Amino acid sequence: MDKVSVIIPVYNCEKFLKHTVQSVLNQTYTDWEMIIVNDASTDNSGTVAAAYAAADKRIRVINQPQNSGVGACRNRGIEAAEGRYVAFLDSDDLWSREKLSKQVEFMRQNDAAASHTGFAFMSEKGEVLSKGKVEVDPEIDLVQYMKTTQIGLSTVMIDREKIPDIRFPEERELCEDAKTWVGLFHRGYKFYGLNEELMLYRVRQNQLSGNKIHMAVNTLKRYLREDNLPAYKRLYCFLNYAYNGTMKRMNKTRLSPETIQKFNCRDSER
């Protein structure tokens, strides 16, 4: 097996962190290390992380001396990573049990430098939303990504033998992950999509519509700077992005009971 380094930045997320960590502990793929980067949390996130590290030698905790933002935390985790593959997971999202095993095999079969998977949604309480999922294309380039923004951060896996210098921007801006993916596209890399719901994105009440408007404005600015594309194509991509953002690329059919059950993520025990 090739080791997978799972990087989890944490800031004041003790309410959800144990469920996120448990979704990694439950993986059928066992050759992984977890690097939790505690971004100077003021709640008990650091204590929760330390308890897991004490119980499982595959888990390490890095404590940032001051709050630096998710980009800096992910970069700190990458610097400490020992695995061939790096996988990113936000501290309130969840993976299905077979996420790593299926994605590593998918990477090998496609000789992929970068991959992402489909995902579904859950409520703040951890209940799988039975309607709605994000579907992904088998292979995407810059234009397809700009049209769909289908890459979910917590679904991404990178082969460091093929991309040894993956880094995130450290400015405190929305969409820092999108800038990272666009940078890879500019360098000639493609993402391969495994179209199966292997991650749950937690929809939280503090995700205000104002942030969505801010994100849309930032996205438009980024698209306008894509000078390697004609102006009409940039506008076309943004209109597609806006439409997909409104629809959330949500399939109107219900998720199968098997899909819901495989996450085993109800937070009722909290």
Side-chain angles (χ1 to χ4, degrees):
M1 284 187 175
D2 290 306
K3 181 179 289 186
V4 179
S5 298
V6 181
I7 298 172
I8 305 177
V10 179
Y11 178 69
N12 289 354
C13 206
E14 65 170 304
K15 182 178 180 181
F16 307 116
L17 179 60
K18 66 179 181 178
H19 302 283
T20 298
V21 172
Q22 191 62 48
S23 77
V24 181
L25 291 170
N26 289 343
Q27 292 295 301
T28 57
Y29 192 93
T30 57
D31 192 5
W32 52 262
E33 64 172 355
M34 183 190 306
I35 303 170
I36 301 174
V37 184
N38 177 28
D39 199 16
S41 296
T42 57
D43 66 357
N44 290 322
S45 295
T47 302
V48 172
Y52 277 108
D56 194 316
K57 64 182 181 180
R58 296 173 297 178
I59 301 175
R60 288 182 279 155
V61 180
I62 297 173
N63 291 299
Q64 295 280 74
Q66 62 185 19
N67 184 264
S68 304
V70 291
C73 287
R74 292 191 185 110
N75 289 337
R76 185 79 184 277
I78 291 168
E79 291 166 2
E82 298 176 354
R84 170 176 176 174
Y85 299 101
V86 289
F88 304 101
L89 179 58
D90 281 344
S91 57
D92 57 354
D93 294 336
L94 299 176
W95 284 345
S96 72
R97 292 172 58 86
E98 296 183 331
K99 195 267 187 186
L100 290 182
S101 60
K102 288 188 174 182
Q103 195 166 11
V104 169
E105 181 60 26
F106 178 79
M107 296 277 285
R108 291 171 178 161
Q109 289 177 353
N110 289 277
D111 193 28
S115 72
H116 61 301
T117 79
F119 59 95
F121 301 88
M122 63 180 166
S123 70
E124 188 164 359
K125 293 182 179 180
E127 300 165 329
V128 181
L129 303 183
S130 61
K131 289 187 179 181
K133 59 184 177 181
V134 172
E135 297 184 337
V136 299
D137 297 308
E139 183 178 324
I140 65 170
D141 57 10
L142 175 62
V143 171
Q144 185 65 6
Y145 175 63
M146 289 173 64
K147 287 167 57 179
T148 64
T149 60
Q150 64 183 257
I151 301 174
L153 183 281
S154 292
T155 76
V156 169
M157 184 178 288
I158 302 291
D159 183 347
R160 294 205 299 164
E161 289 189 358
K162 301 181 186 302
I163 308 178
D165 54 352
I166 179 75
R167 284 190 66 81
F168 290 81
E170 298 190 2
E171 299 84 1
R172 291 175 178 269
E173 296 182 3
L174 292 172
C175 309
E176 99 290 336
D177 55 325
K179 291 183 179 180
T180 303
W181 317 146
V182 168
L184 293 179
F185 288 126
H186 279 305
R187 293 166 57 187
Y189 295 106
K190 293 184 179 181
F191 272 76
Y192 289 80
L194 173 55
N195 193 28
E196 182 176 346
E197 299 82 40
L198 298 177
M199 185 272 284
L200 282 182
Y201 175 84
R202 194 183 299 266
V203 180
R204 297 166 62 178
Q205 292 182 354
N206 62 357
Q207 293 164 332
L208 301 177
S209 59
N211 279 341
K212 295 177 183 178
I213 294 172
H214 187 194
M215 184 177 296
V217 171
N218 281 348
T219 300
L220 177 59
K221 290 178 179 178
R222 284 193 293 107
Y223 284 18
L224 292 176
R225 291 195 294 267
E226 289 294 333
D227 295 333
N228 58 326
L229 296 177
Y232 77 88
K233 185 165 287 189
R234 282 176 268 167
L235 178 59
Y236 170 71
C237 288
F238 180 77
L239 291 175
N240 274 270
Y241 156 81
Y243 173 78
N244 285 312
T246 301
M247 300 302 293
K248 295 182 180 178
R249 288 176 62 84
M250 293 181 74
N251 189 308
K252 297 184 183 301
T253 60
R254 297 180 68 87
L255 295 176
S256 69
E258 292 77 17
T259 297
I260 294 174
Q261 186 176 8
K262 71 182 179 182
F263 285 99
N264 188 26
C265 65
R266 291 293 295 270
D267 292 357
S268 56
E269 72 273 15
R270 189 171 57 235

